PDB file of all heavy atoms in Angstrom:
ATOM      1  N   LYS A  13       4.541  -9.370   7.046  1.00  0.00           N
ATOM      2  CA  LYS A  13       5.087 -10.694   7.371  1.00  0.00           C
ATOM      3  C   LYS A  13       4.469 -11.232   8.665  1.00  0.00           C
ATOM      4  O   LYS A  13       4.138 -12.413   8.779  1.00  0.00           O
ATOM      5  CB  LYS A  13       6.607 -10.605   7.559  1.00  0.00           C
ATOM      6  CG  LYS A  13       7.404 -10.427   6.275  1.00  0.00           C
ATOM      7  CD  LYS A  13       8.891 -10.531   6.601  1.00  0.00           C
ATOM      8  CE  LYS A  13       9.797 -10.166   5.452  1.00  0.00           C
ATOM      9  NZ  LYS A  13      11.223 -10.152   5.825  1.00  0.00           N
ATOM     10  N   ASP A  69      15.986 -14.113   6.586  1.00  0.00           N
ATOM     11  CA  ASP A  69      16.815 -13.227   5.782  1.00  0.00           C
ATOM     12  C   ASP A  69      16.802 -13.750   4.352  1.00  0.00           C
ATOM     13  O   ASP A  69      16.846 -14.962   4.131  1.00  0.00           O
ATOM     14  CB  ASP A  69      18.252 -13.174   6.325  1.00  0.00           C
ATOM     15  CG  ASP A  69      18.966 -11.912   5.860  1.00  0.00           C
ATOM     16  OD1 ASP A  69      18.368 -10.825   5.900  1.00  0.00           O
ATOM     17  OD2 ASP A  69      20.137 -12.006   5.435  1.00  0.00           O
ATOM     18  N   THR A  70      16.711 -12.826   3.400  1.00  0.00           N
ATOM     19  CA  THR A  70      16.559 -13.206   1.991  1.00  0.00           C
ATOM     20  C   THR A  70      17.617 -12.530   1.140  1.00  0.00           C
ATOM     21  O   THR A  70      17.999 -11.392   1.408  1.00  0.00           O
ATOM     22  CB  THR A  70      15.154 -12.783   1.486  1.00  0.00           C
ATOM     23  OG1 THR A  70      14.169 -13.558   2.167  1.00  0.00           O
ATOM     24  CG2 THR A  70      15.006 -13.009  -0.012  1.00  0.00           C
ATOM     25  N   TYR A 151      12.982  -6.552  -5.748  1.00  0.00           N
ATOM     26  CA  TYR A 151      13.387  -6.845  -7.128  1.00  0.00           C
ATOM     27  C   TYR A 151      12.291  -7.546  -7.931  1.00  0.00           C
ATOM     28  O   TYR A 151      12.556  -8.078  -9.014  1.00  0.00           O
ATOM     29  CB  TYR A 151      14.636  -7.741  -7.113  1.00  0.00           C
ATOM     30  CG  TYR A 151      15.824  -7.129  -6.414  1.00  0.00           C
ATOM     31  CD1 TYR A 151      16.026  -7.310  -5.045  1.00  0.00           C
ATOM     32  CD2 TYR A 151      16.757  -6.371  -7.115  1.00  0.00           C
ATOM     33  CE1 TYR A 151      17.117  -6.751  -4.388  1.00  0.00           C
ATOM     34  CE2 TYR A 151      17.857  -5.806  -6.474  1.00  0.00           C
ATOM     35  CZ  TYR A 151      18.021  -6.004  -5.115  1.00  0.00           C
ATOM     36  OH  TYR A 151      19.100  -5.449  -4.475  1.00  0.00           O
ATOM     37  N   ASP A 152      11.060  -7.570  -7.420  1.00  0.00           N
ATOM     38  CA  ASP A 152       9.989  -8.359  -8.047  1.00  0.00           C
ATOM     39  C   ASP A 152       9.791  -8.061  -9.532  1.00  0.00           C
ATOM     40  O   ASP A 152       9.507  -8.968 -10.310  1.00  0.00           O
ATOM     41  CB  ASP A 152       8.660  -8.125  -7.319  1.00  0.00           C
ATOM     42  CG  ASP A 152       8.515  -9.020  -6.107  1.00  0.00           C
ATOM     43  OD1 ASP A 152       9.325  -9.942  -5.954  1.00  0.00           O
ATOM     44  OD2 ASP A 152       7.577  -8.788  -5.314  1.00  0.00           O
ATOM     45  N   LYS A 173       2.220 -15.606  -5.881  1.00  0.00           N
ATOM     46  CA  LYS A 173       3.643 -15.452  -5.562  1.00  0.00           C
ATOM     47  C   LYS A 173       4.006 -16.299  -4.340  1.00  0.00           C
ATOM     48  O   LYS A 173       4.982 -17.055  -4.367  1.00  0.00           O
ATOM     49  CB  LYS A 173       3.980 -13.974  -5.309  1.00  0.00           C
ATOM     50  CG  LYS A 173       5.447 -13.785  -4.946  1.00  0.00           C
ATOM     51  CD  LYS A 173       5.798 -12.357  -4.563  1.00  0.00           C
ATOM     52  CE  LYS A 173       7.181 -12.332  -3.920  1.00  0.00           C
ATOM     53  NZ  LYS A 173       7.539 -11.046  -3.357  1.00  0.00           N
ATOM     54  N   HIS A 178      10.388 -18.181  -2.579  1.00  0.00           N
ATOM     55  CA  HIS A 178      11.421 -18.494  -1.601  1.00  0.00           C
ATOM     56  C   HIS A 178      10.898 -18.401  -0.166  1.00  0.00           C
ATOM     57  O   HIS A 178      10.952 -19.351   0.587  1.00  0.00           O
ATOM     58  CB  HIS A 178      12.574 -17.499  -1.809  1.00  0.00           C
ATOM     59  CG  HIS A 178      12.111 -16.070  -2.004  1.00  0.00           C
ATOM     60  ND1 HIS A 178      11.284 -15.703  -3.030  1.00  0.00           N
ATOM     61  CD2 HIS A 178      12.292 -14.942  -1.272  1.00  0.00           C
ATOM     62  CE1 HIS A 178      11.009 -14.408  -2.943  1.00  0.00           C
ATOM     63  NE2 HIS A 178      11.598 -13.914  -1.877  1.00  0.00           N
ATOM     64  N   ARG A 179      10.299 -17.246   0.170  1.00  0.00           N
ATOM     65  CA  ARG A 179       9.846 -17.069   1.546  1.00  0.00           C
ATOM     66  C   ARG A 179       8.675 -17.984   1.852  1.00  0.00           C
ATOM     67  O   ARG A 179       8.602 -18.604   2.917  1.00  0.00           O
ATOM     68  CB  ARG A 179       9.470 -15.612   1.808  1.00  0.00           C
ATOM     69  CG  ARG A 179       9.315 -15.280   3.296  1.00  0.00           C
ATOM     70  CD  ARG A 179       9.215 -13.784   3.579  1.00  0.00           C
ATOM     71  NE  ARG A 179       8.749 -13.053   2.436  1.00  0.00           N
ATOM     72  CZ  ARG A 179       9.530 -12.358   1.613  1.00  0.00           C
ATOM     73  NH1 ARG A 179      10.808 -12.257   1.852  1.00  0.00           N
ATOM     74  NH2 ARG A 179       9.038 -11.736   0.559  1.00  0.00           N
TER      75      ARG A 179
HETATM   76  P1  IMP B 201      14.628  -9.387   3.807  1.00  0.00           P
HETATM   77  O1  IMP B 201      15.684 -10.248   4.406  1.00  0.00           O
HETATM   78  O2  IMP B 201      13.289 -10.056   3.696  1.00  0.00           O
HETATM   79  O3  IMP B 201      14.553  -8.037   4.462  1.00  0.00           O
HETATM   80  O4  IMP B 201      15.071  -9.119   2.296  1.00  0.00           O
HETATM   81  C1  IMP B 201      16.268  -8.438   1.949  1.00  0.00           C
HETATM   82  C2  IMP B 201      16.095  -7.762   0.608  1.00  0.00           C
HETATM   83  O5  IMP B 201      15.920  -8.745  -0.419  1.00  0.00           O
HETATM   84  C3  IMP B 201      14.881  -6.852   0.507  1.00  0.00           C
HETATM   85  O6  IMP B 201      15.187  -5.548   0.925  1.00  0.00           O
HETATM   86  C4  IMP B 201      14.557  -6.888  -0.974  1.00  0.00           C
HETATM   87  O7  IMP B 201      15.367  -5.979  -1.684  1.00  0.00           O
HETATM   88  C5  IMP B 201      14.973  -8.288  -1.372  1.00  0.00           C
HETATM   89  N1  IMP B 201      13.804  -9.196  -1.339  1.00  0.00           N
HETATM   90  C6  IMP B 201      13.475 -10.049  -0.333  1.00  0.00           C
HETATM   91  N2  IMP B 201      12.368 -10.741  -0.634  1.00  0.00           N
HETATM   92  C7  IMP B 201      11.991 -10.308  -1.861  1.00  0.00           C
HETATM   93  C8  IMP B 201      10.891 -10.654  -2.700  1.00  0.00           C
HETATM   94  O8  IMP B 201      10.029 -11.481  -2.393  1.00  0.00           O
HETATM   95  N3  IMP B 201      10.845  -9.999  -3.872  1.00  0.00           N
HETATM   96  C9  IMP B 201      11.762  -9.063  -4.262  1.00  0.00           C
HETATM   97  N4  IMP B 201      12.783  -8.713  -3.514  1.00  0.00           N
HETATM   98  C10 IMP B 201      12.899  -9.325  -2.311  1.00  0.00           C
END
Side-chain angles (χ1 to χ4, degrees):
K13 287 187 189 175
D69 201 44
T70 293
Y151 300 89
D152 276 349
K173 179 185 167 188
H178 44 300
R179 194 169 24 259

